[in-house]
Amino acid sequence: MNPSNFQFSRFFSKWWPVILMGIATIGAYGLVLYSFGVFIGPIREETGWSNGALSTAFSLGLLISGVGAMFTGRLLDAVGSRPVMSGSLIVGSVLLYLTASAESLPMFIVGWGVGGGIIGAGLFYNITMAITTRLYLADRAKAFAILTLIGGLASPIYFPLAGVLVEWLGWRTALRVLTTALIIIVLPSIVMIGGGNAQKNSAEKEPQGKSFLEILAAFKSRQFIMLLLAFSFSMCVLVAIQVHHVSAMQATGLTLSLATALAGIRGFLSLPGRALLAPIVRMLGTKGAIQVMYGAMAMGCASLFLAGSLGFVIGFTVITGLTFGLIAPLHGLYAAEVFGEQHIGTMMGVQTTIVSVVAASGPTLLGLTVDLSGGYSWLLMISILVTALAMFFLSLTR
């Protein structure tokens, strides 16, 4: 046997579950998070619906995703991955198909908000990271690196793909095509990765009488409150930038095709950082690595704020591309270190709920600054200040 084929076989035999979850992540994040940033401009041009109103649909999706994560996490601990992932895929996809036919703004907001929120609650990292935590107790950092490295392809694939589909087919047909792709991409992980609940996988059993409220008591510590504030403010900025950065780059004079191409390159640039997740954490520690990523977030926003030439836009693309993709896995890795695997689904779900409630305000509130000012300067300045607050709160943790 060819040695390279043998090594690949050994790698795949050990890591295939996390590979499938990474592929599912591409479909879920690609459609619900990244494609919306491409859709928002064409939808506004076709329908006349305002930027702030459309951003409300996205924010509603984040809010429902975050609140729902608490329940999907609890369900994951109780019955395993298959019911959570399959139920979210079916209900969310049906609603997104209906959204593609929306003729009124309220119908679009409810369709995208509820459909995208359900997809997020059951298929985002709060679920796939929890499953990964249990499946790979000894090689957790490497497993997280593989999961997020594959999941990181969502941005470079879906930004240009959505751009091409919207230009060729219009946003409505493009949404139907991408929803169909989501179903095809996620199904293998649902079929092949069953179980995964705490009762079956945890080596250490806790008393059955331990209640949900007792688990939530862990969130009363001052240190964790500071951590939640840091996570919430940073994700508020990160999500707002993800939604609005294509339009912000267009505002500098770039065409939609060039802006989405740069967005795709930005996504590809996240892959080297994610591949080095384990050594970065060993070198800086989880907290130190998160602080560095927050600093890079502020620098990237400043570069786009100063954009008067293509060079500054490229600076934004490179800086945020290399660093933004590491923030979510670092948050997840820290949560796994703090909570352990026994109730990771529930605990990460509750954390996701709290963070998402705050983060959901980002696209809408910052989107309103675009409507009021007619540009993206205020959005970027506020993003820099909020990121500085996130760095401050993280510094208060020990």
Side-chain angles (χ1 to χ4, degrees), residues 48-72:
W49 301 334
S50 72
N51 192 83
L54 292 172
S55 298
T56 298
F58 186 86
S59 294
L60 177 62
L62 286 182
L63 184 62
I64 292 175
S65 173
V67 174
M70 181 167 57
F71 299 98
T72 55

Side-chain angles (χ1 to χ4, degrees), residues 235-254:
M235 292 305 294
C236 181
V237 171
L238 189 149
V239 173
I241 294 298
Q242 294 285 22
V243 171
H244 294 291
H245 79 282
V246 172
S247 296
M249 289 192 289
Q250 283 185 270
T252 67
L254 275 60

Side-chain angles (χ1 to χ4, degrees), residues 271-326:
L271 302 182
R274 292 184 176 190
L276 296 173
L277 176 63
I280 289 173
V281 170
R282 283 197 299 269
M283 180 173 61
L284 300 174
T286 306
K287 175 183 173 180
I290 294 172
Q291 286 281 37
V292 170
M293 297 309 116
Y294 288 176
M297 181 188 296
M299 290 177 59
C301 292
S303 182
L304 191 56
F305 172 75
L306 296 171
S309 66
L310 182 60
F312 282 101
V313 179
I314 292 175
F316 163 80
T317 300
V318 172
I319 294 170
T320 60
L322 290 172
T323 57
F324 267 36
L326 274 170

Side-chain angles (χ1 to χ4, degrees), residues 49-366:
W49 301 334
S50 72
N51 192 83
L54 292 172
S55 298
T56 298
F58 186 86
S59 294
L60 177 62
L62 286 182
L63 184 62
I64 292 175
S65 173
V67 174
M70 181 167 57
F71 299 98
T72 55
R74 186 62 173 165
L75 188 61
L76 177 69
D77 286 340
V79 299
S81 62
R82 191 171 289 150
V84 174
M85 297 179 73
S86 60
S88 300
L89 180 65
I90 293 169
V91 178
S93 297
V94 168
L95 289 171
L96 289 177
Y97 278 126
L98 294 175
T99 302
S101 302
E103 295 297 337
S104 67
L105 179 60
M107 182 178 177
F108 178 86
I109 291 175
V110 172
W112 185 281
V114 178
I118 291 173
I119 293 292
L123 296 173
F124 275 10
Y125 279 137
N126 57 290
I127 293 297
T128 57
M129 285 183 177
I131 298 171
T132 300
T133 296
R134 293 206 182 100
L135 293 178
Y136 300 97
L137 301 180
D139 297 309
R140 186 175 294 161
K142 186 174 182 180
F144 269 58
I146 294 172
L147 173 67
T148 57
L149 184 63
I150 297 173
L153 293 171
S155 173
I157 290 174
Y158 271 79
F159 271 125
L161 176 61
V164 169
L165 289 175
V166 169
E167 287 189 338
W168 286 0
L169 306 173
W171 72 269
R172 296 181 186 275
T173 303
L175 178 54
R176 296 185 186 103
V177 170
L178 292 176
T179 302
T180 302
L182 170 68
I183 296 170
I184 296 171
I185 289 171
V186 173
L187 272 178
S189 61
I190 294 175
V191 173
M192 298 181 69
I193 307 174
N197 59 313
Q199 298 302 320
K200 291 182 180 179
N201 286 284
S202 178
E204 299 180 3
K205 306 283 186 179
E206 290 194 6
Q208 293 295 322
K210 189 157 191 174
S211 69
F212 187 47
L213 292 178
E214 288 177 305
I215 297 171
L216 294 182
F219 289 80
K220 294 181 179 179
S221 72
R222 176 182 177 276
Q223 172 152 319
F224 193 69
I225 291 173
M226 294 298 102
L227 196 67
L228 283 177
L229 288 171
F231 284 9
S232 297
F233 286 159
S234 66
M235 292 305 294
C236 181
V237 171
L238 189 149
V239 173
I241 294 298
Q242 294 285 22
V243 171
H244 294 291
H245 79 282
V246 172
S247 296
M249 289 192 289
Q250 283 185 270
T252 67
L254 275 60
T255 64
L256 177 61
S257 296
L258 181 54
T260 54
L262 286 174
I265 293 171
R266 178 175 171 268
F268 270 117
L269 289 174
S270 72
L271 302 182
R274 292 184 176 190
L276 296 173
L277 176 63
I280 289 173
V281 170
R282 283 197 299 269
M283 180 173 61
L284 300 174
T286 306
K287 175 183 173 180
I290 294 172
Q291 286 281 37
V292 170
M293 297 309 116
Y294 288 176
M297 181 188 296
M299 290 177 59
C301 292
S303 182
L304 191 56
F305 172 75
L306 296 171
S309 66
L310 182 60
F312 282 101
V313 179
I314 292 175
F316 163 80
T317 300
V318 172
I319 294 170
T320 60
L322 290 172
T323 57
F324 267 36
L326 274 170
I327 292 175
L330 283 169
H331 286 180
L333 184 59
Y334 186 87
E337 292 173 355
V338 170
F339 303 135
E341 75 277 2
Q342 176 68 16
H343 294 287
I344 186 64
T346 300
M347 300 302 283
M348 194 173 286
V350 174
Q351 172 188 294
T352 300
T353 295
I354 296 170
V355 171
S356 297
V357 167
V358 179
S361 66
T364 297
L365 293 179
L366 295 180

